[in-house]
Amino acid sequence: MATSGTYVTEVPLKGTAEKHFKRWRNENHLFPDAVGHHIQGVTVHDGEWDTHGGIKIWNYTLGDGTQEIFKERREMDDESNTMKVVGLEGHVMEQLKVYEVDFQFIPKSEDDCVCKITMIWEKRNDDFPEPSSYMQLLKSMVVDMEDHVLKA
């Protein structure tokens, strides 16, 4: 069995958990304009932008400048402001057998929240590196999206 693991980080954010969750849940089409240095394109492959079980394809750039493609399926829990991303295909899935990311937006006060990012992964074999660069990308996207959420 290849190496597996879980990464967890929390990103403090200005603005309500509901507002941040809405952007991540329903408004992915805005990401290329808002955080174009990370996301160059997002298209719906199956379902709608905000459909539970919907499938999207992302064109993105890692921190080292590597451009990649990722196909995902979404699962949403509106009561807990949680969105799960399940990796289906793409560059990351060439290295990983399992790639699941939970984004949970947790209220901290009237005007502040935390985005808890949990990444569960399993490598296809131990020759591949751990996927820390993908966690760094996700954290950077959450941080960089904050200004755009606050302006909305």
Side-chain angles (χ1 to χ4, degrees), residues 13-16 18-24 27-39 105 139-152:
L13 298 168
K14 298 283 184 207
T16 66
E18 293 77 17
K19 198 169 186 179
H20 284 279
F21 178 64
K22 179 183 177 211
R23 176 64 49 105
W24 283 80
E27 300 173 352
N28 296 150
H29 60 283
L30 300 174
F31 280 45
D33 288 334
V35 290
H37 54 290
H38 296 304
I39 304 299
F105 295 91
K139 184 176 179 182
S140 291
M141 285 173 56
V142 170
V143 168
D144 293 350
M145 188 58 77
E146 178 180 35
D147 285 340
H148 299 278
V149 170
L150 295 175
K151 291 176 188 173

Side-chain angles (χ1 to χ4, degrees), residues 16-66:
T16 66
E18 293 77 17
K19 198 169 186 179
H20 284 279
F21 178 64
K22 179 183 177 211
R23 176 64 49 105
W24 283 80
R25 183 195 192 287
N26 300 341
E27 300 173 352
N28 296 150
H29 60 283
L30 300 174
F31 280 45
D33 288 334
V35 290
H37 54 290
H38 296 304
I39 304 299
Q40 289 75 55
V42 185
T43 55
V44 175
H45 180 73
D46 189 34
E48 301 294 329
W49 284 108
D50 59 354
T51 304
H52 180 82
I55 297 175
K56 295 182 183 77
I57 299 173
W58 296 75
N59 295 53
Y60 61 94
T61 303
L62 290 172
D64 67 0
T66 304

Side-chain angles (χ1 to χ4, degrees), residues 25-152:
R25 183 195 192 287
N26 300 341
E27 300 173 352
N28 296 150
H29 60 283
L30 300 174
F31 280 45
D33 288 334
V35 290
H37 54 290
H38 296 304
I39 304 299
Q40 289 75 55
V42 185
T43 55
V44 175
H45 180 73
D46 189 34
E48 301 294 329
W49 284 108
D50 59 354
T51 304
H52 180 82
I55 297 175
K56 295 182 183 77
I57 299 173
W58 296 75
N59 295 53
Y60 61 94
T61 303
L62 290 172
D64 67 0
T66 304
Q67 294 190 341
E68 296 189 353
I69 295 173
F70 176 63
K71 187 176 187 178
E72 59 150 49
R73 183 183 73 245
R74 290 279 175 98
E75 300 170 8
M76 277 83 84
D77 181 345
D78 293 334
E79 287 189 30
S80 66
N81 289 336
T82 302
M83 180 184 68
K84 178 187 288 289
V85 172
V86 178
L88 301 175
E89 296 176 13
H91 290 88
V92 69
M93 299 312 294
E94 293 170 3
Q95 299 179 22
L96 300 178
K97 198 177 344 183
V98 174
Y99 179 80
E100 296 181 4
V101 180
D102 287 341
F103 295 90
Q104 182 179 16
F105 295 91
I106 305 164
K108 290 297 178 188
S109 73
E110 272 187 37
D111 299 320
D112 297 301
C113 66
V114 167
C115 178
K116 181 179 180 182
I117 307 169
T118 304
M119 177 194 291
I120 299 168
W121 53 271
E122 181 180 347
K123 296 193 283 184
R124 293 197 176 274
N125 67 57
D126 284 328
D127 294 337
F128 292 118
E130 287 193 11
S132 59
S133 61
Y134 294 98
M135 185 61 152
Q136 291 168 348
L137 171 67
L138 298 172
K139 184 176 179 182
S140 291
M141 285 173 56
V142 170
V143 168
D144 293 350
M145 188 58 77
E146 178 180 35
D147 285 340
H148 299 278
V149 170
L150 295 175
K151 291 176 188 173

